[in-house]
Amino acid sequence: MLHTLLHEAGHAYVADQGIPILGKEEDAVDNFAAVIMLNYVDQGADATISAADMFAFESDDRPDYYDFYEYIGEHSFDLQRYFATLCLVYGSDPDAHKDLLDEIEDEYRDEQKDKCIATFEEIDYNWKQVLNIKSEENS
Ligand SMILES: [Zn+2]
């Protein structure tokens, strides 16, 4: 719920501030929502995990095969949004979320955990850069 609001606020912020997005804006504002919740919201990790679970829930309706227009669509698939969100939660505090990525196959899990730590650091840093730069410009 909060994730959805922040996702939409992210779109508005990007449009309002003219922030250059290099990649899928839908993914960028998902990341924005997760980073804001993880950094600034009380119990934000739990709320972010709930948001991820909603993506997993929505993914239960997925077809066995996607049509091509779905591959070219602006949103990543729900299961990708689920794992991308969990990845940020894990990366934000690996010790607190040791079991969060247990669904990932053993042989890939450790490597993926490392990637999630790096991914969170990068996305967190980049969004903070954007938010700081923009707030300084406005002050
Ligand atoms: Zn969107």
Side-chain angles (χ1 to χ4, degrees):
M1 183 67 216
L2 180 57
H3 188 280
T4 307
L5 286 176
L6 284 169
H7 173 106
E8 296 308 328
H11 280 305
Y13 186 74
V14 163
D16 184 58
Q17 301 288 324
I19 294 166
I21 298 292
L22 312 174
K24 282 188 183 179
E25 181 169 317
E26 294 299 334
D27 291 344
V29 298
D30 271 352
N31 292 340
F32 170 83
V35 162
I36 296 289
M37 288 168 73
L38 290 167
N39 285 331
Y40 305 114
V41 174
D42 226 29
Q43 314 287 328
D46 290 341
T48 310
I49 292 169
S50 300
D53 287 339
M54 277 305 298
F55 290 133
F57 176 74
E58 283 160 21
S59 184
D60 285 346
D61 295 335
R62 72 184 183 280
D64 290 335
Y65 298 97
Y66 289 103
D67 291 325
F68 288 139
Y69 84 90
E70 292 172 286
Y71 285 100
I72 208 171
E74 59 191 357
H75 288 97
S76 296
F77 295 121
D78 287 321
L79 262 188
Q80 291 180 299
R81 299 177 78 187
Y82 167 70
F83 279 111
T85 303
L86 288 189
C87 185
L88 291 176
V89 176
Y90 177 83
S92 72
D93 192 349
D95 290 337
H97 305 291
K98 283 186 172 59
D99 305 329
L100 195 58
L101 300 176
D102 279 358
E103 285 168 276
I104 295 172
E105 292 79 357
D106 289 353
E107 52 191 314
Y108 302 110
R109 192 182 308 133
D110 286 342
E111 186 186 347
Q112 189 57 56
K113 283 180 167 179
D114 289 343
K115 282 185 194 167
C116 288
I117 293 170
T119 299
F120 176 80
E121 277 176 14
E122 184 178 359
I123 288 173
D124 181 53
Y125 177 81
N126 288 345
W127 270 112
K128 282 178 179 162
Q129 292 271 97
V130 167
L131 294 167
N132 284 335
I133 290 165
K134 290 299 173 186
S135 63
E136 277 164 26
E137 276 176 10
N138 293 337
S139 64

